[in-house]
Amino acid sequence: MNMIMSVDDIVGVAKEFVWPWSCRKEDGNISGENQIIFVMVSVLLIIAISYWYIFRNRKLKLPPGPRGLPLIGNLLSLEPNLHVYFANLAEVYGPIVKLQVGSKIFIVVSSTSLTKEVLKDNDAIFANRDAPVAALVASYGGVDIGWSASNSEWRKLRKVFAHEMLSNKSLDLSYGLRRDEMRKTVSDIYKQKIDTPINFGEEVFIIILNMIMGMLWGGTLQGEERSKVGAEFQKVIGELVKLIGRTNVSDVFPALKIFDIQGIEREAKVLCLWLDRIMDSVIDQRVKLNDTDQTCQSKESKKDFLQLLLELMEQKDPKTQITKTQLKALYLDIVVAGTETTSTTIEWVMTEMMQHPEIMERAQAEIDQVVGTNNTLEESHLSKLHYLDAVVKETFRLHPVAPLLIPHSPSSSCEIGGYIIPKGATVFCNAWAMQRDPDAWNDPSTFQPERFLSDGNVKKFDYNGKNFSYLPFGSGRRICAGIPLAERMLTYVLAALLHSFDWELPRHTKLDVAETFGIALKKSTPLVVIPTPRLVNLELYM
């Protein structure tokens, strides 16, 4: 979440809300003679709004942290890369730090022991979310899995997601969709993009999007619409993710939420309406098809996720029955989180391989040994690709997609590390810092996949969230629900692209490894690479 706000931003907000339109000149600016009054009224209004929020916890033993300004707290001192800024604060104030951001209290935890207290020992208390306004829009008011409060409806939806949609049986049945999409992609690259610089992240995004669409409702993008509509999806989802991580006065001063001063809520609604129309259309078409064709999806092997969920909607069992709104919220979770996080991670893997060509060579050699250059790579091969698995895990360690995880919020005040975390605080667990902790990792800033190859570390560093020095997917009851799908898609797509092609940077191109903080940790500039064929049997490209 990018919480940076300048003085100009604050003054701009005050101009939009505080000062009556009647006191402005025609150009919308405040007349010179009213400047002093404007400042006084602005300050008084903010004091009135903030007083209760800021001073209600004065008597509690809160964690240490930097002193802030009156009213706005530490808002102006935050830096763009929050994960790095928070790590630096931990070196000064210790592993648990408090910041006052507007009327919100931020708690940042940066040690494995305290993170364990939050996500395991007091898991039930910290299972709620502090959802920004844009996230509430994207989750239909917080009825999804990612941003919902920890309640019975959330537990029901998560159970449906894990047991009905992402069970091994369901994922096995949908493998044909992923395989067909991957083969189409390999063929498309071979026929149209060989020796041509391509935006690698964009290419991977479209692959993942098509795989997810196929599993969700059996449809994929073909021909010209594949790139055109795929790019539009990427733009909409990218903008939505930016809005969720953007500074919003409504988030740090909840009393101002009703005014939507910066228009972030309105922008999020426009983007979500675009996605909502697509989902409504797909759902309505399937319902009509089911009504006219009673044999539709009669074979279990042909069921996609939509058919499974529609059947649950029709059931009267309160333990599994879901609403149409919940269905759409769940779909939006999968489409937004699945495409953005998976494609971002694969782009980081390829970026590291561009920096370390020997790692790519070793990964390709392993794939050739397991699959061969005359065969097509299948998901069944993935369990034997131990080095590639280590490369992916090392990428997650250095470039966690959610460096601060998704913020937690305690349902009641709770003691952590000898300090009181007040009810409703926004709690960040700095996974980025813990995964670079020199006490837990040798040479932590170096990309070394080999660290995950020893027998002990294979089991020690998995994705189940039990080792608190390695939390790429979080931990506890709010651990990422999509891990089974992410594991399959990410490794399969990456392995297939490495098996089918060699990749190199365009001539005279300098690799940019800078990162941009947000709700997802992305590359600052897209990775552009050139593919060349490497398979002996050219029929595998057809």
Side-chain angles (χ1 to χ4, degrees):
M1 186 183 298
N2 183 13
M3 301 301 300
I4 310 307
M5 180 173 287
S6 67
V7 174
D8 288 341
D9 291 331
I10 294 173
V11 172
V13 168
K15 285 182 179 180
E16 289 299 319
F17 173 65
V18 176
W19 199 250
W21 288 100
S22 60
C23 295
R24 299 186 184 185
K25 296 187 291 186
E26 291 184 1
D27 61 2
N29 293 319
I30 300 170
S31 59
E33 61 269 21
N34 288 318
Q35 289 283 349
I36 295 177
I37 300 175
F38 165 74
V39 172
M40 292 176 62
V41 173
S42 301
V43 170
L44 289 173
L45 179 63
I46 295 177
I47 289 175
I49 294 171
S50 306
Y51 183 83
W52 184 79
Y53 287 103
I54 293 177
F55 293 103
R56 59 179 172 166
N57 298 302
R58 292 180 68 181
K59 296 182 181 180
L60 298 178
K61 186 184 178 183
L62 299 175
R67 295 186 64 179
L69 297 171
L71 308 178
I72 61 174
N74 306 107
L75 188 59
L76 299 183
S77 63
L78 300 179
E79 297 177 3
N81 286 325
L82 272 188
H83 56 307
V84 179
Y85 173 65
F86 287 161
N88 292 336
L89 287 181
E91 294 183 2
V92 177
Y93 297 99
I96 182 168
V97 178
K98 176 195 77 76
L99 298 97
Q100 186 77 47
V101 182
S103 61
K104 290 275 190 173
I105 290 180
F106 282 8
I107 304 295
V108 184
V109 178
S110 301
S111 76
T112 57
S113 60
L114 294 183
T115 298
K116 177 178 176 292
E117 286 190 46
V118 172
L119 300 183
K120 182 179 179 181
D121 300 343
N122 297 284
D123 186 15
I125 293 176
F126 287 91
N128 282 327
R129 297 297 196 196
D130 182 21
V133 171
L136 288 175
V137 173
S139 60
Y140 293 86
V143 299
D144 67 335
I145 290 180
W147 296 102
S148 169
S150 178
N151 53 34
S152 59
E153 286 301 305
W154 170 77
R155 288 189 288 272
K156 178 174 68 175
L157 199 60
R158 186 179 175 101
K159 184 177 181 180
V160 167
F161 185 56
H163 294 172
E164 299 291 339
M165 299 174 68
L166 296 192
S167 66
N168 286 331
K169 181 179 180 180
S170 293
L171 290 176
D172 287 343
L173 289 173
S174 63
Y175 168 54
L177 296 168
R178 297 190 292 278
R179 179 182 57 202
D180 290 346
E181 175 57 28
M182 199 65 246
R183 288 179 177 177
K184 290 176 184 176
T185 298
V186 168
S187 178
D188 178 62
I189 292 175
Y190 178 78
K191 293 176 181 177
Q192 302 181 36
K193 302 174 183 179
I194 287 299
D195 298 326
T196 301
I198 64 173
N199 184 322
F200 186 77
E202 185 178 285
E203 188 71 38
V204 171
F205 180 93
I206 295 174
I207 297 172
I208 300 299
L209 175 65
N210 260 353
M211 286 185 175
I212 288 177
M213 288 173 61
M215 289 184 287
L216 290 181
W217 56 72
T220 58
L221 302 173
Q222 305 294 335
E224 292 184 1
E225 75 170 2
R226 185 179 190 275
S227 57
K228 182 179 178 180
V229 179
E232 196 167 354
F233 257 103
Q234 187 175 27
K235 181 181 178 181
V236 170
I237 292 173
E239 289 298 321
L240 188 57
V241 170
K242 286 181 182 178
L243 286 178
I244 293 174
R246 184 178 163 191
T247 302
N248 191 352
V249 173
S250 298
D251 293 326
V252 297
F253 292 105
L256 297 177
K257 178 181 177 181
I258 189 174
F259 302 103
D260 190 23
I261 295 168
Q262 295 161 265
I264 289 178
E265 184 174 6
R266 292 191 295 275
E267 290 183 46
K269 286 180 177 178
V270 170
L271 295 172
C272 288
L273 181 61
W274 188 88
L275 294 166
D276 186 73
R277 286 171 177 167
I278 293 175
M279 289 188 290
D280 272 336
S281 175
V282 170
I283 292 171
D284 291 344
Q285 287 180 20
R286 177 61 62 82
V287 170
K288 291 179 181 178
L289 182 62
N290 287 352
D291 289 341
T292 58
D293 184 2
Q294 298 300 319
T295 64
C296 177
Q297 302 289 345
S298 60
K299 293 184 179 180
E300 188 175 25
S301 62
K302 292 184 178 181
K303 286 184 181 179
D304 51 35
F305 291 168
L306 178 56
Q307 189 63 29
L308 290 171
L309 293 177
L310 287 176
E311 290 174 3
L312 291 178
M313 285 177 58
E314 296 173 357
Q315 292 177 2
K316 302 302 181 182
D317 185 353
K319 294 181 179 180
T320 57
Q321 188 178 30
I322 64 173
T323 67
K324 184 177 180 181
T325 299
Q326 288 176 317
L327 187 158
K328 293 195 293 184
L330 181 57
Y331 265 33
L332 205 55
D333 272 353
I334 299 171
V335 171
V336 174
T339 55
E340 190 76 5
T341 59
T342 307
S343 60
T344 296
T345 300
I346 294 176
E347 187 175 19
W348 276 119
V349 173
M350 187 59 70
T351 299
E352 289 292 351
M353 287 183 169
M354 291 296 102
Q355 279 200 109
H356 308 284
E358 71 281 2
I359 291 178
M360 179 184 290
E361 291 175 6
R362 181 172 174 181
Q364 288 177 320
E366 179 186 58
I367 295 171
D368 290 347
Q369 182 177 6
V370 172
V371 181
T373 56
N374 287 305
N375 299 312
T376 299
L377 181 136
E378 306 285 354
E379 273 189 0
S380 58
H381 293 125
L382 300 184
S383 62
K384 301 177 183 178
L385 302 179
H386 305 299
Y387 184 72
L388 186 63
D389 178 65
V391 171
V392 172
K393 286 181 176 176
E394 179 71 341
T395 302
F396 274 128
R397 186 187 70 82
L398 275 182
H399 309 285
V401 178
L404 301 176
L405 306 184
I406 304 299
H408 294 251
S409 185
S411 55
S412 62
S413 296
C414 182
E415 183 176 333
I416 298 293
Y419 298 101
I420 297 299
I421 311 302
K423 176 182 177 180
T426 303
V427 180
F428 298 97
C429 296
N430 196 342
W432 181 89
M434 289 182 282
Q435 292 178 179
R436 293 171 179 249
D437 184 355
D439 291 335
W441 304 91
N442 294 324
D443 199 8
S445 61
T446 303
F447 191 82
Q448 294 180 358
E450 292 76 14
R451 71 175 86 237
F452 289 99
L453 289 176
S454 67
D455 291 338
N457 283 354
V458 170
K459 296 181 179 179
K460 183 179 179 181
F461 297 110
D462 53 24
Y463 301 131
N464 64 14
K466 294 181 180 179
N467 186 318
F468 290 91
S469 61
Y470 188 68
L471 297 174
F473 291 95
S475 182
R477 67 188 64 195
R478 297 310 290 251
I479 193 172
C480 176
I483 295 175
L485 179 59
E487 277 193 279
R488 292 206 187 199
M489 288 198 305
L490 193 158
T491 309
Y492 178 53
V493 171
L494 179 62
L497 292 176
L498 290 172
H499 180 233
S500 302
F501 305 101
D502 285 315
W503 302 87
E504 62 180 16
L505 294 171
R507 275 188 173 186
H508 310 301
T509 297
K510 185 177 180 180
L511 185 66
D512 181 9
V513 295
E515 58 192 24
T516 299
F517 177 83
I519 201 72
L521 193 64
K522 297 177 66 67
K523 282 185 86 279
S524 296
T525 57
L527 176 66
V528 176
V529 287
I530 298 174
T532 55
R534 65 183 302 273
L535 296 178
V536 174
N537 184 0
L538 297 183
E539 292 183 1
L540 297 176
Y541 293 110
M542 301 302 157

